[in-house]
Amino acid sequence: MTAQTQLMEALQEDGAGVELLHNDVQVFDDMGKGIFSKKAFHIDRRFPPWLRTIAPKSGCTLFEESKNCFPVTSTSVTLPLFAKFKMRIDSVHYADRGETPNIHKLPEDVLKKRKVVYIDIAEVTEAEKKKKMYASDTSDPRTFKSTTTGRGPLHQGWQQESKPVMCAYKLVYTEFDYWGLQGKIEDFMQTYEQGLFQAANRQLFCWIDDWYGLSLTDVRDFEREVAERVC
């Protein structure tokens, strides 16, 4: 997914320019064995106009460090331009239809502040069309049918009918402790991440015939190929 997205960003006129800086197997004290990855997103062209006017280009790189111990992942995001900016995304992948109310086991005080957003990868509203991340992305779960697995297309109500099905529960913490800009930046990053989740999971489903059955060696070979093409 990272390599495919990196390639699409490179072809996108206003792409974020994704760089995969680090990707290997590690053992984490809090999560056990998994994959550690570090990516750089050059997102200045994705900034809203009001932010682009005050942001130096040299500081418009967003760094993402991720610990992937599927079915649990934890991702930290920093933006050196703003030292007080913090974002963390904790994910739990679970074989249900989104019915688990507090899968992250949040304490009551945090639970009261949580806002729940349901993301439907087959969503077709005008708002979702406008939030399309990549012009070259033709992924459409409503029409795609996998020749390898027979899954798809996803019609209205697919969440209750499709088998097998899995829900990705993503808990996004955002903190931006700068007076006057806090609300705007936090809203921008939450919206950006929501669009990223939408696009990535649409692609993950529609590209199933490309990745289903691949070995880790196959994946690493493809990542190296993409890195050579976009550097």
Side-chain angles (χ1 to χ4, degrees):
M1 274 298 299
T2 297
Q4 281 275 30
T5 303
Q6 183 180 4
L7 181 58
M8 293 183 72
E9 286 282 6
L11 297 174
Q12 177 88 343
E13 185 175 345
D14 65 344
V18 183
E19 294 181 68
L20 182 61
L21 305 176
H22 198 85
N23 190 46
D24 66 4
V25 177
Q26 294 188 14
V27 177
F28 308 106
D29 293 337
D30 56 339
M31 297 172 66
K33 187 176 181 180
I35 302 291
F36 172 76
S37 64
K38 182 175 182 179
K39 309 181 193 78
F41 296 80
H42 305 290
I43 63 172
D44 55 297
R45 285 171 288 183
R46 291 287 174 84
F47 278 179
W50 62 267
L51 181 55
R52 201 176 300 140
T53 60
I54 64 172
K57 185 175 180 61
S58 59
C60 298
T61 299
L62 183 149
F63 291 96
E64 175 192 283
E65 295 188 357
S66 182
K67 298 184 290 186
N68 185 346
C69 301
F70 187 85
V72 178
T73 68
S74 183
T75 301
S76 298
V77 178
T78 57
L79 187 61
L81 176 63
F82 299 107
K84 296 180 182 179
F85 167 77
K86 299 176 183 177
M87 175 179 279
R88 191 176 86 242
I89 304 147
D90 293 334
S91 303
V92 177
H93 301 82
Y94 194 63
D96 73 357
R97 302 179 187 276
E99 308 101 335
T100 306
N102 187 17
I103 200 165
H104 294 95
K105 298 180 173 58
L106 301 177
E108 195 62 33
D109 58 328
V110 177
L111 200 58
K112 290 179 180 178
K113 300 176 183 178
R114 183 191 64 175
K115 178 182 178 182
V116 178
V117 178
Y118 291 95
I119 297 179
D120 179 1
I121 63 171
E123 181 64 64
V124 292
T125 66
E126 288 303 315
E128 291 299 332
K129 291 178 183 178
K130 291 178 181 178
K131 287 196 296 183
K132 186 175 179 181
M133 295 289 286
Y134 309 112
S136 59
D137 181 16
T138 57
S139 305
D140 189 346
R142 296 171 299 148
T143 58
F144 170 78
K145 184 173 181 63
S146 168
T147 57
T148 304
T149 67
R151 297 171 191 170
L154 300 183
H155 300 299
Q156 187 173 8
W158 67 268
Q159 299 96 324
Q160 303 306 319
E161 300 169 359
S162 297
K163 293 181 182 180
V165 68
M166 180 181 71
C167 182
Y169 293 84
K170 294 186 174 289
L171 182 65
V172 181
Y173 293 95
T174 307
E175 181 180 338
F176 188 82
D177 192 15
Y178 288 88
W179 185 86
L181 291 175
Q182 182 175 8
K184 283 188 174 183
I185 291 291
E186 289 180 353
D187 288 346
F188 165 70
M189 290 309 302
Q190 290 278 358
T191 300
Y192 180 82
E193 287 294 325
Q194 185 175 337
L196 198 60
F197 297 155
Q198 173 86 6
N201 285 281
R202 285 173 67 92
Q203 294 161 3
L204 183 63
F205 179 77
C206 292
W207 295 345
I208 191 170
D209 290 335
D210 295 330
W211 58 259
Y212 187 83
L214 289 182
S215 67
L216 184 58
T217 300
D218 295 331
V219 173
R220 294 292 169 83
D221 287 344
F222 181 68
E223 288 173 345
R224 283 192 291 269
E225 178 188 337
V226 169
E228 292 172 359
R229 290 176 63 182
V230 302
C231 67

